[in-house]
Amino acid sequence: MSLTGTPLFHLLIAATIVCVAATIMFCSRVKGPRPLRWLVRLVMILLCQLTAICVVAVRINNDYGLYASWNDLMGRDTQTAAMPGPAADRAEFTHSTTGVQQTYFRGKQSKLSGQVIVWTPPQYDQPRYRHDRFPVVLLLHGVPGSPESWVDQGGMPQDFRQLMKAGTTHPFILAMPVIDPGGINTDCTNQAGTNVGTWLARDVPHLLGHAFRTLPGSKSWAVMGFSTGGFCAARLPLAYPKVFGTGAALDPDPLTGDPDVITNPQVRKRTSPTHMVAHTTAPVNLFLATSAQDRFSPPRCLQQFTKAAAGTRVRTQTMVLPTGGHNYNTWARLYPAAFAFLSRHTTAPKQ
């Protein structure tokens, strides 16, 4: 059974109810010597507490995507740690029951390897679109987290299907790459030989362009992310404007940089979105959103960023929800506005 998702959560709730009910019914009926009776009662109480704690822990993990699998929880997840892998032109995509495809490959330029999950819209396989190419949105997960976070907790691609049906967005190819290959987080920058920026802006687009009918040019490529992925969604269009013309940052980490990720203050400042936006000449479009209650992504950080962007060619739109924490429920509430923004500033499918 998967560590993430609702089956395990519901099973633990049921186990908690059973343990509490059994304790109430049988605690006074335990027979045997007094020390044994006390020991059995203590075990019953501990089981009630343990199952209740597990319910809370699994709920927190589902909300924040802290661990993506049992191997990840136990420290045995080596999928992204193994840098060797097939080249993009030899990467094989496998299909899952959720309608997504996934692969593992090694980037030619970054020399990094990792997982990429891809979903193509229904139109992609329809006869009337058989010669059309499609715009692409890279969906960037948080750290800790994984590409599966978008599928298991982020509601993708189901939520995006509903937005297409409502007519608020045009079809996109959704691609979910790992943003910390090998488990090394660099805030999507190139640091000390770990070239995550190159991985996301060069190698992943090369893979997608080789394997799918994608539209060329920055007008057709966008990024969207939450938390650390939101930081990256604000940064990548500024760092690689010829690749990504648009970004949507949902509850991004503070856009001045994280001292725990990049310890050198000069490097951290130079690579931070707030510094970069004040010095760019690129005409990119950025959507930034958070909630008034999110202490991990305070609205003042967005205000600081938009102030730095004033007078540049960067066009920004901000949104601050009155309520909501740093979790998937808040991010899902931002999907309609975010995808509408991406749709307005990207090219629709065409030949």
Side-chain angles (χ1 to χ4, degrees):
M1 182 177 293
S2 173
L3 175 64
T4 58
T6 58
L8 177 61
F9 182 62
H10 290 164
L11 177 62
L12 288 172
I13 291 176
T16 302
I17 294 172
V18 169
C19 287
V20 172
T23 300
I24 294 173
M25 292 177 61
F26 300 109
C27 188
S28 60
R29 302 181 185 180
V30 177
K31 298 181 179 179
R34 177 174 292 183
L36 178 62
R37 294 200 306 270
W38 280 106
L39 178 61
V40 172
R41 289 166 182 163
L42 178 62
V43 169
M44 288 181 175
I45 295 171
L46 291 176
L47 281 175
C48 292
Q49 293 179 332
L50 178 62
T51 53
I53 291 171
C54 287
V55 168
V56 175
V58 168
R59 177 57 186 271
I60 292 173
N61 187 62
N62 284 346
D63 282 346
Y64 287 93
L66 302 178
Y67 299 96
S69 65
W70 292 105
N71 283 336
D72 191 15
L73 177 65
M74 300 299 176
R76 299 194 300 263
D77 193 350
T78 59
Q79 184 179 37
T80 59
M83 291 295 102
D89 58 355
R90 292 188 288 107
E92 297 183 359
F93 282 85
T94 58
H95 295 257
S96 72
T97 57
T98 58
V100 300
Q101 308 173 53
Q102 60 179 309
T103 192
Y104 184 88
F105 85 108
R106 182 174 188 262
K108 182 178 180 180
Q109 295 192 43
S110 69
K111 312 303 182 186
L112 299 176
S113 301
Q115 179 189 28
V116 180
I117 298 175
V118 180
W119 176 82
T120 56
Q123 294 87 341
Y124 189 88
D125 297 314
Q126 293 174 2
R128 61 176 291 196
Y129 290 93
R130 65 181 178 274
H131 299 301
D132 285 17
R133 293 182 174 274
F134 287 74
V136 180
V137 176
L138 298 192
L139 299 179
L140 310 179
H141 60 83
V143 176
S146 71
E148 285 96 343
S149 302
W150 284 98
V151 178
D152 293 339
Q153 292 91 42
M156 294 295 165
Q158 296 90 339
D159 288 359
F160 182 69
R161 282 178 176 270
Q162 295 302 317
L163 295 175
M164 283 198 303
K165 289 180 180 179
T168 59
T169 180
H170 58 233
F172 286 104
I173 293 173
L174 303 181
M176 294 152 264
V178 63
I179 71 167
D180 54 346
I184 301 174
N185 177 29
T186 68
D187 273 347
C188 300
T189 64
N190 291 345
Q191 298 289 329
T194 305
N195 299 324
V196 179
T198 301
W199 159 260
L200 293 169
R202 306 297 184 198
D203 293 329
V204 172
H206 176 71
L207 168 75
L208 299 174
H210 175 80
F212 300 93
R213 300 194 312 273
T214 62
L215 279 168
S218 61
K219 188 68 176 174
S220 304
W221 287 73
V223 284
M224 185 171 100
F226 54 76
S227 195
T228 302
F231 178 97
C232 296
R235 184 186 184 279
L236 289 173
L238 298 171
Y240 305 94
K242 293 183 178 180
V243 180
F244 307 110
T246 307
L250 313 183
D251 285 8
D253 290 350
L255 299 174
T256 50
D258 187 345
D260 293 331
V261 176
I262 301 177
T263 56
N264 186 304
Q266 287 77 28
V267 175
R268 182 170 66 251
K269 177 182 177 180
R270 186 176 67 250
T271 57
S272 71
T274 300
H275 176 81
M276 294 172 67
V277 75
H279 298 84
T280 186
T281 59
V284 299
N285 309 287
L286 295 174
F287 174 86
L288 304 105
T290 188
S291 77
Q293 296 179 326
D294 190 345
R295 61 188 181 90
F296 296 105
S297 183
R300 59 178 171 78
C301 292
L302 273 58
Q303 296 167 359
Q304 184 180 13
F305 180 88
T306 55
K307 182 179 180 180
T312 71
R313 301 174 69 191
V314 176
R315 289 167 290 186
T316 62
Q317 177 182 329
T318 60
M319 174 180 288
V320 178
L321 298 176
T323 60
H326 201 74
N327 56 56
Y328 291 96
N329 292 330
T330 301
W331 302 329
R333 290 160 57 199
L334 295 168
Y335 289 167
F339 276 110
F341 180 89
L342 298 181
S343 188
R344 286 196 304 272
H345 294 287
T346 54
T347 305
K350 67 178 183 179
Q351 294 185 7

